[in-house]
Amino acid sequence: MSGAPREGVVVLISGRGSNLQAIIDAVRAGQVPADIRAVISSEPGAPALARARTSGIPSHVVNFRDFSAREEFDQALMQQIDAYQPRLVVLAGFMRILGKNFIDHYAGRLLNIHPSLLPEFPGLNTHARALRSGTKYHGASVHFVTPEVDGGPVIIQAVIPVLADDRPETLAERVLKQEHRIYPLAIRWFLEGRLSVEDGRVLLDGQPRPEQGLFQPESTPGTPAGPS
Ligand code: NHR
Ligand code: GAR
């Protein structure tokens, strides 16, 4: 599928690691030209660490509780990452806000997936907030990471309808399915050298992405919520 040579990637996680798994699976299937060199967790007990082990990927813990200042945590994390010399660093359910030195160090080669249609609902608890807002559409965004949390240029978004009987958990589950589709795709584009940023907008193959790269699932089960 992808003829490009494989490039080094380090994945940062804090929890379950279903996005990590989706990336591992896409690499295995030949859909993403990545060499996942390491998985690094901010949480000692993260289930994602077991996924790395099962897949034979080196894993490390940089426990933020071991550091008295955020900057020291960031430095330790950078050191661990740089030992693997990755072309790309991927945040996949990573739960610690990173400081400016860290972001500058990986400028242009640091991606995040966020569970909302940015710029709507940056930060935490996005699904409950989306439901409370009465929005009819929700989704996920892959973006370049900048010092402004969840404020970096968007590469691709997946949109799903909010259903009348949704709870945060049911909404999260459908958003997550879309995350697993768009994150490997965005990583593939990056590693193939097809992404660029101009005036804070992401270009794919030199072209502006229509609707900021809105990605519509072919079909979504259920009935969209009616007018509220
Ligand atoms: N760092 C920067 N500078 N910029 C971004 O865009 C970042 C980032 C670090 C993480 C992921 C982000 C998300 O997708 C991300 C993007 C954690 C928090 C947070 O408030 C906010 C956004 C994101 C991740 N973290 C708390 C903190 O004090 C801890 C919360 C917890 O442990 O549960 O760091 O949502
Ligand atoms: C995903 O929904 C991801 O978008 C979100 O957490 C979940 C992690 O799931 N990320 C954040 O909220 C970052 N603050 P996973 O560990 O199974 O990939």
Side-chain angles (χ1 to χ4, degrees):
M1 153 147 285
S2 201
R6 289 181 176 217
E7 304 251 28
V9 174
V10 168
V11 182
L12 306 189
I13 56 93
S14 300
R16 175 180 52 187
S18 72
N19 276 290
L20 167 67
Q21 192 66 56
I23 297 163
I24 291 171
D25 293 347
V27 169
R28 280 233 185 90
Q31 291 161 1
V32 177
D35 169 19
I36 306 175
R37 294 197 182 143
V39 168
I40 304 174
S41 177
S42 62
E43 290 286 344
L49 288 166
R51 296 185 193 263
R53 248 175 268 127
T54 300
S55 294
I57 301 167
S59 60
H60 303 272
V61 175
V62 181
N63 185 343
F64 70 90
R65 296 170 192 86
D66 293 344
F67 302 87
S68 52
R70 280 182 179 263
E71 176 62 24
E72 284 168 29
F73 167 73
D74 287 6
Q75 288 293 340
L77 199 53
M78 274 190 254
Q79 233 173 50
Q80 192 62 257
I81 295 167
D82 288 348
Y84 291 96
Q85 305 227 328
R87 160 105 190 276
L88 175 68
V89 179
V90 165
L91 307 184
F94 185 74
M95 294 310 290
R96 301 302 297 175
I97 291 175
L98 298 159
K100 190 174 182 317
N101 285 338
F102 185 100
I103 305 298
D104 286 350
H105 187 68
Y106 300 105
R109 56 191 186 103
L110 181 58
L111 303 185
N112 178 44
I113 188 153
H114 180 78
S116 80
L117 295 174
L118 291 171
E120 294 293 319
F121 313 116
L124 305 176
N125 305 315
T126 55
H127 307 300
R129 287 157 61 207
L131 280 178
R132 250 182 274 127
S133 79
T135 183
K136 294 192 181 64
Y137 295 95
H138 186 47
S141 309
V142 179
H143 64 94
F144 282 102
V145 176
T146 62
E148 187 198 342
V149 176
D150 297 326
V154 170
I155 297 165
I156 186 170
Q157 296 183 310
V159 185
I160 62 159
V162 176
L163 306 181
D165 57 354
D166 261 327
R167 292 172 286 109
E169 296 74 25
T170 57
L171 195 51
E173 191 178 296
R174 294 202 314 289
V175 168
L176 194 64
K177 282 203 181 110
Q178 299 306 320
E179 295 184 36
H180 298 164
R181 302 175 69 177
I182 62 174
Y183 213 3
L185 185 58
I187 293 167
R188 175 187 175 173
W189 288 342
F190 179 91
L191 294 177
E192 290 176 341
R194 296 170 63 187
L195 297 178
S196 56
V197 180
E198 219 172 84
D199 302 327
R201 296 260 307 183
V202 174
L203 307 181
L204 175 66
D205 299 329
Q207 300 298 315
R209 308 273 298 120
E211 312 272 321
Q212 280 204 327
L214 216 61
F215 179 87
Q216 302 277 5
E218 296 98 324
S219 66
T220 316
T223 322
S228 44

